[in-house]
């Protein structure tokens, strides 16, 4: 197996990938893998997960195997690695026979450093037998939440991946995902059999994304109004049905937008055409089902619209996370109709696996609670993943157009006390029935009509208490335990409220449908003045080079790199190497033409 000239991770980061410093947490994960130990890394979309295994793969001797669920993801990663001069390949069903044989030939010759494979392929007996004879640097399992029954995207083909640790006990394994709650994390660790792993939980916060929800009333008109304000930026519109993706794409095309639909029912060649056109900036908008997007590392997606509500918060987080992967300003718009919740619930009820059905419906309920929340949307999202933020974000529709608030200390004490009085063993509906003094047989049989909290909230409606309890969950004072039939449990943060040591402000509960909110927009101009003119020229040059090379434009340089080039205007190769995203290989391939463009612009 070939050796690599860069013995230190920081050298690889700078000289191969062109970045000057690690993001928070990357260095710890990389050090763990380089030293031969297992890792579970939960890092948000756009948070730099790939580098966490790619760099150790180049530092450690041997071949790195990367298990990845989608052909699109594999192709994208391999293209980007090859552009940086790394010997990488993918094994998947999209390869022609001669391409497949060439990859196998490279593998047996020891010419590869990273090999991407689908989960079902790596477990083929013949393939596993051949791997036994190859020195392995590490095994990385991407989208690791797919292995968990508690995850939002459980995949049966992932279930057997626990065998890898048994077959290769000395090879470090990295499990990586963007989204995993507590139950999912524990399940990943157990199913993969990781040995004393480092569990790295990065911040889920994507402060560059603005989260906005508006009531869905005339969705096609709302979408057209919104897209018009995007002024030609790249975006994705998610719909829950194939038919709707086609209808919405047609609406956009009639208005002369460069748009197309994408769903699993289209022929493979049409899906590939749409995906490639989007990646190459020949399309501005893709209207898609959730079949589109996983692993599409297109950094300059500036907006994501959910035309329909997603099935769970993990999906919403992952899909909105496809906007602004370059760290520049981006927007996530959700069109919400409460009736959509019941429609999706009806679909989920058809799942014959009772345990999986319960998990899916619970997660849908939490997505509904997010949509109906009157507290900072970012706080709700982060709280879901166990990351509590005391301060509102200032960059969501709730923060920018806040609902009315009141001193909710007394309501909170009533609700929290009721949860405590029932032994933290019952769900939201039962707690609300006690608060409202319901006369049900079950309450009498349990003796809950004798509790001190029985009927203390009877002057308020059921919907009122749903809102209060959801806010207490969003604020981290209560949790719903998914592994114990959704019972409400108090957190430590509830103590000072119950004791009257701390006041609590709540949003005035909404008992009617969300009122339509005016669409608000932050300017997404990435550069201004002279910088903007040069930025446009650099984008044209990037598109031209990408077409000549047959690669996506962002594989040349992403928008963040072009923005730095426009702002700092390097004139020498050494100056250009200080720009994030410019490594030695890309400097060699593209440096001179970009420097020439910058010089010509300076002369105008």
């Amino acid at each position: 197996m070939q050796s690599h000239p860069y013995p230190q991770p920081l050298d690889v980061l700078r000289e191969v990938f062109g970045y000057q410093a690690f993001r928070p947490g990357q260095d710890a994960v990389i050090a763990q893998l380089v030293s031969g130990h297992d890792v579970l890394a939960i890092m948000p979309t756009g948070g730099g997960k790939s580098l966490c295994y790619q760099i150790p793969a180049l530092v450690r001797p041997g071949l790195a195997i990367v298990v990845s669920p989608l052909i699109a993801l594999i192709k994208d990663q391999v293209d980007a690695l090859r552009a940086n001069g790394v010997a990488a390949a993918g094994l998947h069903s999209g390869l022609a026979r001669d391409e497949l044989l060439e990859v196998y030939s490279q593998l047996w010759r020891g010419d590869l450093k990273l090999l991407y494979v689908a989960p079902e392929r790596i477990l083929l007996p013949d393939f596993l037998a051949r791997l036994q004879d190859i020195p392995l640097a590490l095994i990385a399992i991407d989208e690791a939440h797919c292995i968990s029954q508690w995850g939002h995207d459980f995949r049966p083909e992932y279930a057997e991946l626990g065998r890898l640790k048994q077959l290769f006990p000395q090879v470090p394994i990295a499990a990586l995902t963007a989204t995993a709650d507590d139950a999912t994390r524990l399940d990943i660790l157990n199913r993969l059999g990781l040995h004393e792993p480092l569990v790295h939980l990065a911040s889920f916060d994507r402060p560059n994304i603005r989260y906005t929800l508006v009531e869905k009333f005339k969705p096609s008109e709302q979408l057209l109004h919104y897209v018009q304000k995007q002024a030609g930026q790249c975006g994705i519109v998610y719909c829950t049905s194939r038919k709707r993706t086609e209808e919405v794409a047609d609406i956009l095309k009639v208005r002369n937008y460069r748009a197309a639909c994408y769903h699993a029912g289209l022929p493979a060649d049409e899906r590939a055409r749409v995906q490639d056109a989007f990646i190459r900036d020949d399309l501005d908008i893709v209207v898609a089902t959730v079949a589109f997007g996983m692993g599409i590392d297109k950094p300059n997606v500036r907006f994501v619209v959910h035309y329909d509500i997603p099935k769970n918060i993990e999906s919403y987080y992952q899909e909105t996370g496809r906007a602004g992967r370059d760290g520049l300003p981006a927007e996530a718009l959700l069109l919400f109709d409460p009736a959509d919740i019941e429609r999706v619930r009806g679909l989920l009820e058809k799942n014959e696996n009772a345990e999986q059905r319960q998990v899916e419906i619970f997660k849908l309920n939490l997505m509904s609670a997010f949509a109906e929340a009157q507290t900072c949307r970012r706080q709700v999202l982060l709280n879901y993943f166990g990351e509590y933020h005391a301060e509102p974000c200032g960059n969501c529709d709730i923060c920018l157009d806040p609902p009315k608030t009141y001193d909710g200390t007394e309501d909170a004490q009533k609700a929290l006390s009721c949860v405590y009085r029932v032994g933290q063993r019952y769900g939201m509906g039962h707690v609300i029935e006690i608060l409202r003094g319901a006369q049900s047989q079950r309450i009498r049989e349990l003796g809950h009509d004798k509790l001190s909290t029985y009927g203390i909230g009877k002057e308020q409606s059921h919907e009122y208490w749903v809102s209060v309890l959801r806010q207490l969950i969003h604020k981290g004072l209560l949790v719903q335990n998914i592994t114990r039939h959704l019972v409400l449990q108090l957190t430590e943060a509830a103590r000072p409220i119950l004791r009257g040591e701390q006041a609590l402000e709540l949003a005035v509960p909404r008992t009617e449908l969300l009122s339509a909110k005016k669409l608000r927009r932050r300017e997404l101009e990435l550069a201004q003045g002279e910088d903007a003119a040069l930025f446009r020229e650099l984008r044209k040059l990037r598109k031209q080079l990408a077409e000549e090379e047959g690669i996506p434009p962002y594989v040349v340089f992403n928008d963040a790199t072009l923005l730095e080039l426009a702002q700092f205007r390097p004139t020498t190769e050494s100056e250009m190497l200080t720009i994030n995203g410019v490594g030695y290989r890309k400097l060699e391939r593209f440096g001179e033409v970009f420097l020439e463009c910058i010089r010509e612009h300076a002369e105008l």
Side-chain angles (χ1 to χ4, degrees):
M1 184 62 61
Q2 67 183 37
S3 61
H4 202 281
Y6 304 108
Q8 296 300 320
L10 194 56
D11 294 335
V12 181
L13 180 74
R14 290 174 175 170
E15 298 182 24
V16 177
F17 296 100
Y19 295 103
Q20 302 308 304
F22 289 115
R23 296 183 185 183
Q26 279 183 325
D27 49 352
V29 172
I30 289 167
Q32 181 85 348
L33 286 169
V34 168
S35 65
H37 296 94
D38 297 341
V39 167
L40 169 59
I42 294 99
M43 305 172 80
T45 302
K49 288 190 302 295
S50 301
L51 288 179
C52 286
Y53 60 80
Q54 290 171 350
I55 288 176
L58 298 179
V59 172
R60 287 176 61 82
L63 171 74
I65 298 286
V66 184
V67 180
S68 190
L70 289 179
I71 293 173
L73 188 151
I74 292 174
K75 287 172 63 178
D76 193 72
Q77 295 276 332
V78 169
D79 282 349
L81 284 166
R82 286 177 174 168
N84 282 315
V86 176
L91 279 175
H92 53 76
S93 58
L95 296 177
R97 178 172 169 75
D98 57 338
E99 293 174 313
L100 200 64
L101 292 174
E102 174 57 26
V103 173
Y104 274 118
S105 178
Q106 291 175 316
L107 177 62
W108 309 140
R109 289 199 309 265
D111 290 345
L112 296 174
K113 279 300 290 176
L114 286 103
L115 178 67
Y116 286 74
V117 297
E120 56 272 20
R121 184 177 294 270
I122 194 174
L123 294 168
L124 292 173
D126 288 353
F127 190 73
L128 283 173
R130 296 297 295 268
L131 283 185
Q132 298 281 355
D133 299 326
I134 297 175
L136 295 181
L138 59 88
I139 299 171
I141 298 170
D142 205 4
E143 308 294 344
H145 62 273
C146 293
I147 200 172
S148 171
Q149 64 172 326
W150 303 112
H152 68 288
D153 191 22
F154 175 68
R155 297 188 177 210
E157 62 268 29
Y158 263 65
E160 298 297 314
L161 292 178
R163 291 172 55 202
L164 294 174
K165 196 63 187 174
Q166 299 165 17
L167 292 167
F168 305 99
Q170 304 307 315
V171 177
I173 291 183
L176 308 104
T177 179
T179 49
D181 56 20
D182 286 335
T184 305
R185 290 170 211 156
L186 288 172
D187 209 25
I188 292 170
L189 292 171
N190 291 332
R191 286 173 178 254
L192 290 178
L194 302 186
H195 179 66
E196 296 182 356
L198 167 72
V199 178
H200 174 70
L201 185 61
S203 171
F204 286 89
D205 194 9
R206 294 286 304 280
N208 61 313
I209 298 177
R210 169 171 291 180
Y211 299 104
T212 301
L213 181 145
V214 297
E215 183 188 355
K216 185 195 287 190
F217 52 100
K218 292 183 179 177
S220 58
E221 290 182 22
Q222 288 171 292
L223 179 66
L224 286 168
H225 177 66
Y226 180 77
V227 168
Q228 182 184 4
K229 292 190 171 186
Q230 300 305 312
Q233 302 280 10
C234 288
I236 304 172
V237 179
Y238 283 110
C239 304
T240 52
S241 73
R242 297 175 181 182
K243 182 181 178 184
R244 186 164 287 175
T245 65
E246 295 172 1
E247 292 170 349
V248 173
D250 286 343
I251 289 167
L252 290 169
K253 284 188 280 189
V254 164
R255 297 295 183 95
N256 296 317
Y257 289 104
R258 297 196 305 168
C261 73
Y262 183 107
H263 59 71
L266 294 172
D269 57 348
E270 173 63 7
R271 294 201 306 273
R273 184 196 71 77
V274 171
Q275 183 172 299
D276 289 344
F278 186 61
I279 285 173
R280 296 176 192 280
D281 289 346
D282 293 331
L283 275 177
D284 292 329
I285 304 169
V286 172
V287 185
T289 59
V290 293
F292 182 81
M294 185 187 284
I296 305 298
D297 188 15
K298 182 176 168 65
N300 65 329
V301 175
R302 298 266 67 87
F303 65 91
V304 168
V305 176
H306 281 91
Y307 201 82
D308 305 302
I309 194 163
K311 292 189 293 185
N312 49 63
I313 287 179
E314 288 96 335
S315 294
Y316 175 77
Y317 179 82
Q318 278 202 324
E319 289 154 16
T320 57
R322 286 164 193 147
R325 292 178 69 131
D326 51 15
L328 300 175
E331 294 186 355
L333 173 68
L334 170 60
L335 300 178
F336 177 60
D337 178 352
D340 286 346
I341 297 290
E342 295 312 311
R343 183 175 52 79
V344 176
R345 193 188 313 279
L347 295 173
L348 298 180
E349 291 282 5
K350 295 175 182 176
N351 188 338
E352 294 179 3
N353 182 324
E355 191 175 50
Q356 200 65 34
R357 183 171 66 242
Q358 180 189 349
V359 171
E360 289 178 349
I361 289 174
F362 168 69
K363 289 178 178 285
L364 174 64
N365 290 340
L366 290 177
M367 186 65 222
S368 173
F370 168 82
E372 294 168 357
Q374 297 194 68
T375 48
C376 167
R377 299 211 188 274
R378 197 178 312 272
Q379 282 181 312
V380 178
L381 274 182
L382 297 177
N383 175 66
Y384 179 83
F385 294 111
E387 184 178 337
Y388 304 111
H389 277 222
E391 296 299 320
C393 73
N395 194 27
C396 71
D397 59 312
I398 296 290
C399 289
L400 295 167
D401 186 13
K404 295 175 182 176
T405 59
Y406 74 110
D407 183 350
T409 310
E410 185 178 332
D411 280 351
Q413 288 171 333
K414 289 178 180 179
L416 296 171
S417 180
C418 194
V419 172
Y420 177 76
R421 297 290 175 196
V422 296
Q424 304 182 70
R425 291 166 50 205
Y426 293 87
M428 187 182 292
H430 189 75
V431 169
I432 292 173
E433 285 193 343
I434 295 168
L435 285 167
R436 299 190 67 237
Q439 301 287 330
S440 73
Q441 183 179 342
R442 184 165 182 251
I443 283 181
R444 287 195 297 272
E445 287 174 352
L446 291 167
H448 288 169
D449 54 340
K450 305 293 193 295
L451 294 174
S452 59
T453 52
Y454 180 76
I456 60 172
K458 61 185 176 185
E459 70 282 359
Q460 301 294 358
S461 68
H462 178 89
E463 292 75 19
Y464 181 95
W465 285 112
V466 167
S467 175
V468 169
L469 284 166
R470 282 177 172 167
Q471 290 186 65
L472 297 179
I473 292 166
H474 301 331
K475 289 179 176 292
L477 307 180
L478 287 173
V479 293
Q480 284 178 298
N481 191 327
I482 186 175
T483 65
R484 289 189 54 201
H485 305 289
L486 322 185
V487 302
L488 290 172
Q489 296 174 329
L490 301 168
T491 69
E492 280 299 311
R495 285 181 185 273
I497 305 296
L498 276 170
R499 290 174 176 169
E501 298 167 356
Q502 187 176 316
L504 184 69
E505 195 171 76
L506 294 176
V508 174
R510 270 183 317 223
T511 54
E512 298 177 1
L513 294 184
L514 290 169
S515 59
K517 286 196 177 88
K518 182 182 174 184
L519 281 167
R520 303 180 60 153
R521 163 155 171 78
R522 170 178 50 175
E523 283 303 309
L524 290 181
E525 287 300 324
L526 303 182
Q528 297 177 344
E530 279 299 303
D531 290 351
L534 177 54
F535 181 68
R536 287 193 294 271
E537 289 302 312
L538 295 174
R539 288 188 71 176
K540 285 180 191 171
L541 175 59
R542 176 181 67 178
K543 185 80 168 76
Q544 178 189 328
L545 291 171
E547 288 175 352
E548 290 171 2
E549 297 264 345
I551 57 177
Y554 63 80
V555 170
V556 179
F557 292 124
N558 65 30
D559 276 4
T561 299
L562 295 189
L563 190 59
E564 278 195 41
L565 288 170
Q567 290 171 338
F568 296 106
R569 306 187 180 208
T571 56
T572 65
E573 290 190 349
S574 60
E575 286 179 359
M576 192 164 176
L577 276 173
T578 65
I579 301 294
N580 278 304
V582 182
Y584 282 110
R585 179 62 182 267
K586 287 194 177 178
L587 179 71
E588 183 183 311
R589 289 178 70 185
F590 308 121
E592 186 51 42
V593 286
F594 276 93
L595 288 170
E596 184 62 29
C597 179
I598 292 168
R599 292 187 199 111
E600 287 178 1
H601 187 83
E603 293 169 3
L604 294 177

